[in-house]
Amino acid sequence: ESILDDLVKEAYERMNYDLRASHILVMVNPDAMPEDTLKAYMKILDAKNRIDSGEDFGLVAAEISEDPSARDRESQRNNTTIPGNKGDLGYFTAFDMVYQFETGAYNLKVGNVSMPVRTNFGYHLIKLTDRIPAQGEIEAAHLYLKMTENATKDDSAYIKSRIDSLYQRIGQGEKFEDLVNKYSDDKGSASRGGLLPKFRVNRMVPEFIRAISQLNDSGEISKPVLTSYGWHIIKLHSKSGIKPFDEMKEELEKRIKKDSRSQKSREVIIRDIQKEYNFRANNDALGKIYELVDSAIYEGKWTVPSGVDLNEAVFRLGDKSYTQADFAAFIAQKQNIGKDESKYEFINKKFKEYVDDKCLEYEDSRLEDKYPEFKAIVTEYRDGILLFELTNKKVWSYATEDTAGLKNYYELHKKDFMWDQRLDASIYTVNDTSYVSSVRDMLKNGMTDDQVLKEIHNDSLKIVNVEHKKFEREDNDLIDSIKWKKGITDNVVKGNKIVFVVVHDKIAPEPKSFNEARGLITAGYQEYLEDEWIKQLRNKYPVVINEEVLSSLTNE
């Protein structure tokens, strides 16, 4: 958690600035063989030496970078040439790039070139070309004059003179939106006064962002800006900047957990485990695994060959050795190799997974010895679970399933499951008050509840509702408010309804039936079983209390 806290603070600090950087990439798989990794490293180091000797970063990038966007390339759509960016990645902020690249860029000063930075793509040289305050979410409009493909020098000069003229007209008081509507080549935004959808720095070409970074007030207009698309005059509407840390903390934590940097805490723990227990890899022993794994791995059908001596340790950790056989079995269980992945890279990747898993497993097995408080908690949980399972077996589940024992317990303890005095009564609710007299007359003439309902409901089903049961005290407020004697009570008005009670009989206290008291009987039987079980345990394991020690605790 401390690492997560550090990552959150680090990300927020970085998000206060937007960076513009260029890079040179030499690709190498993260699990490549050592000789391939060394070859890539020497190539990127040679590029670094050339730049340090005075060669232009962009020209070196166009020559050797394995990022295809660095050099000119043919468009497959219309057979035109797409100009290379010479390694220029434009503007970005935290989370826009892979974490290692982001870290390399944010650690640079403007104008400096990094040492080789390793990511999952390979080795990078990074040149930081600009650092600006965080722009956040930007809302802006533009007046745009398109630069035609294969424009001549005269074409470029003509467009430049047009954009300068329009900028001068804005300065003389003409309305920006009117000029946009009339002259802008971005017809999609022209009808909205040139307004673009909201964007962040990584969504626009760098020259556009650089110009916006120099605008501060809503309504402020830039000088003409040349990009790879043409000329722009930009009008700022708003920039959100960055929110306070407290408002962003929760969001940053969520983003970090989804980002590659979330692995940092795991990596730190594994590194510390390896250091503490003197991790030692045996690359010579690993070489035998390269030889054993064949093309069957691509079909998920590779098996560990029998009769081969695989007892040499591929690595050691603390007092434990992990053999070739152990690692080979691990590979056999996880044959998820990519179609274009070399078996060497696959084995290296699996070896790292295997080492990481075993490091955590080794540490886990020693936690109780290293942390006595943790051991006490684990013991408490273990004992609690055991006690729960044993009590469930001997008391709770046993009681619910032992029907004969429950009935026997009921017969012996009937007086523990008694009804208090109850009232056998029917509560009549008459929804149509014009029927009240008729209903009361029927009841006075000795008709039962069912007979009354049958008689009265010939025409409608909602005239009368009847609740007939044996009521205890506090079961019903109306029942509690009447005298408990046979007969029909007075009418009670409740809204637009009339309510009265027909008292049939007063019932003296009596034992509940087995089914009526089953829940209480089960609880009582469980208590009985637990008491008996504890008596047996006390007889089997006598308890001796040291009264002197006990009294000393009481005194304290």
Side-chain angles (χ1 to χ4, degrees):
E1 287 192 2
S2 63
I3 294 169
L4 176 61
D5 288 342
D6 290 343
L7 288 172
V8 169
K9 291 171 186 173
E10 176 188 76
Y12 183 77
E13 287 170 5
R14 291 177 178 179
M15 289 179 78
N16 278 276
Y17 296 95
D18 298 325
L19 306 185
R20 182 180 179 183
S22 299
H23 82 138
I24 296 170
L25 169 66
V26 175
M27 298 178 72
V28 63
N29 191 292
D31 304 301
M33 296 297 286
E35 55 268 29
D36 294 327
T37 302
L38 180 60
K39 182 179 177 182
Y41 183 79
M42 294 308 294
K43 183 177 179 181
I44 200 77
L45 199 59
D46 179 62
K48 176 76 164 67
N49 292 333
R50 289 173 60 183
I51 293 162
D52 289 346
S53 298
E55 291 193 50
D56 182 76
F57 188 97
L59 294 178
V60 176
E63 179 188 338
I64 74 161
S65 180
E66 293 173 22
D67 178 350
S69 68
R71 62 188 63 85
D72 296 350
R73 56 201 188 281
E74 296 299 317
S75 170
Q76 295 180 348
R77 283 193 204 167
N78 48 19
N79 294 321
T80 58
T81 300
I82 302 172
N85 60 23
K86 296 183 178 179
D88 187 359
L89 298 170
Y91 286 89
F92 57 89
T93 188
F95 298 102
D96 288 341
M97 300 292 185
V98 293
Y99 180 59
Q100 296 87 346
F101 188 98
E102 175 194 305
T103 299
Y106 272 94
N107 286 337
L108 287 173
K109 293 180 179 179
V110 174
N112 286 3
V113 177
S114 71
M115 288 296 291
V117 174
R118 182 77 182 267
T119 73
N120 283 343
F121 300 101
Y123 284 107
H124 308 254
L125 292 181
I126 306 170
K127 180 178 181 179
L128 186 64
T129 53
D130 199 11
R131 179 190 295 260
I132 59 176
Q135 305 294 294
E137 192 171 57
I138 302 164
E139 190 170 26
H142 74 150
L143 191 164
Y144 168 59
L145 296 185
K146 183 179 180 181
M147 184 74 74
T148 57
E149 291 178 9
N150 303 316
T152 64
K153 189 175 181 180
D154 289 342
D155 293 334
S156 299
Y158 172 67
I159 296 171
K160 175 70 166 67
S161 67
R162 283 185 64 206
I163 201 75
D164 286 342
S165 174
L166 290 169
Y167 180 69
Q168 191 173 24
R169 289 168 67 178
I170 294 168
Q172 290 170 351
E174 289 194 53
K175 195 173 180 182
F176 176 86
E177 287 74 15
D178 292 341
L179 295 175
V180 167
N181 191 43
K182 189 172 181 179
Y183 297 107
S184 181
D185 289 331
D186 183 359
K187 300 306 178 186
S189 68
S191 61
R192 303 189 301 273
L195 187 64
L196 298 164
K198 289 181 178 180
F199 57 91
R200 293 183 178 275
V201 294
N202 62 345
R203 305 299 296 174
M204 286 289 182
V205 290
E207 298 81 7
F208 200 94
I209 297 300
R210 180 64 190 170
I212 283 176
S213 73
Q214 295 171 346
L215 304 176
N216 297 310
D217 300 323
S218 179
E220 192 174 351
I221 294 173
S222 74
K223 292 179 180 180
V225 178
L226 178 63
T227 73
S228 55
Y229 298 101
W231 284 94
H232 312 254
I233 299 173
I234 305 167
K235 181 178 181 179
L236 178 65
H237 282 234
S238 66
K239 293 191 284 191
S240 69
I242 186 170
K243 297 176 186 175
F245 178 74
D246 290 343
E247 291 181 29
M248 291 195 67
K249 184 179 179 183
E250 186 175 347
E251 177 192 343
L252 289 174
E253 286 178 352
K254 289 178 182 176
R255 292 187 70 177
I256 283 169
K257 287 173 182 176
K258 294 178 181 178
D259 188 69
S260 61
R261 72 192 75 199
S262 64
Q263 293 298 311
K264 186 175 179 181
S265 59
R266 190 173 191 267
E267 290 167 1
V268 168
I269 290 168
I270 290 168
R271 186 184 65 220
D272 289 346
I273 292 169
Q274 291 180 351
K275 184 177 179 181
E276 181 177 357
Y277 298 110
N278 194 24
F279 169 81
R280 303 174 305 287
N282 184 350
N283 292 325
D284 292 339
L286 192 61
K288 193 165 187 176
I289 305 297
Y290 297 135
E291 298 171 8
L292 289 178
V293 175
D294 57 30
S295 59
I297 195 82
Y298 290 95
E299 299 174 5
K301 296 179 180 179
W302 182 76
T303 56
V304 182
S306 58
V308 180
D309 181 9
L310 297 173
N311 292 321
E312 194 173 353
V314 288
F315 72 91
R316 290 181 172 81
L317 190 67
D319 57 2
K320 194 163 184 180
S321 296
Y322 299 85
T323 67
Q324 296 159 321
D326 298 328
F327 179 46
F330 180 81
I331 293 175
Q333 292 173 354
K334 300 177 182 290
Q335 301 189 44
N336 54 340
I337 187 171
K339 192 188 302 182
D340 300 322
E341 190 174 9
S342 79
K343 73 171 185 178
Y344 301 103
E345 291 172 350
F346 173 73
I347 292 168
N348 288 342
K349 180 171 69 178
K350 288 297 152 188
F351 184 64
K352 183 179 184 311
E353 285 180 23
Y354 182 65
V355 168
D356 289 354
D357 287 352
K358 293 304 175 184
C359 283
L360 293 173
E361 186 181 290
Y362 189 85
E363 176 71 351
D364 189 16
S365 69
R366 283 155 177 74
L367 289 178
E368 287 85 352
D369 294 332
K370 291 177 68 175
Y371 305 102
E373 288 184 2
F374 176 71
K375 180 178 182 179
I377 291 172
V378 171
T379 301
E380 185 178 340
Y381 270 96
R382 175 186 174 278
D383 292 351
I385 291 167
L386 286 174
L387 180 58
F388 176 88
E389 291 296 332
L390 189 57
T391 306
N392 188 49
K393 181 179 178 181
K394 290 219 171 247
V395 178
W396 301 323
S397 294
Y398 182 83
T400 58
E401 295 166 3
D402 183 14
T403 305
L406 282 171
K407 288 184 176 178
N408 184 54
Y409 183 81
Y410 169 68
E411 291 299 330
L412 293 172
H413 299 85
K414 269 188 179 180
K415 290 183 179 179
D416 294 337
F417 309 107
M418 296 288 291
W419 287 113
D420 290 332
Q421 189 178 62
R422 290 178 295 164
L423 191 69
D424 184 2
S426 299
I427 300 175
Y428 275 73
T429 303
V430 184
N431 302 310
D432 186 340
T433 57
S434 64
Y435 282 83
V436 173
S437 297
S438 301
V439 173
R440 292 180 71 94
D441 288 342
M442 292 178 197
L443 291 166
K444 287 175 183 176
N445 290 330
M447 292 178 71
T448 65
D449 295 340
D450 290 340
Q451 289 170 334
V452 170
L453 290 172
K454 187 176 181 181
E455 181 71 24
I456 208 76
H457 285 168
N458 282 337
D459 300 323
S460 173
L461 295 175
K462 296 186 178 179
I463 295 171
V464 178
N465 293 325
V466 179
E467 181 186 5
H468 182 188
K469 63 179 281 189
K470 295 171 182 175
F471 295 92
E472 285 188 288
R473 293 287 183 189
E474 298 183 2
D475 277 354
N476 183 282
D477 291 341
L478 182 58
I479 295 297
D480 289 346
S481 69
I482 65 172
K483 293 182 179 179
W484 284 24
K485 66 178 183 178
K486 284 187 180 182
I488 303 173
T489 67
D490 294 336
N491 294 333
V492 177
V493 179
K494 287 196 174 182
N496 57 355
K497 301 175 184 180
I498 297 294
V499 181
F500 59 85
V501 179
V502 179
V503 178
H504 304 295
D505 197 9
K506 186 163 65 173
I507 304 169
E510 62 180 354
K512 295 179 181 179
S513 69
F514 179 80
N515 286 333
E516 288 173 333
R518 189 177 185 109
L520 294 171
I521 295 165
T522 301
Y525 188 42
Q526 287 172 338
E527 193 173 319
Y528 165 77
L529 290 172
E530 187 171 358
D531 288 343
E532 290 299 308
W533 181 34
I534 290 172
K535 287 178 185 176
Q536 293 171 14
L537 292 173
R538 283 182 177 276
N539 288 332
K540 188 173 182 179
Y541 307 106
V543 177
V544 179
I545 297 172
N546 189 325
E547 296 290 351
E548 184 178 346
V549 173
L550 181 61
S551 62
S552 69
L553 291 173
T554 306
N555 292 334
E556 288 177 10

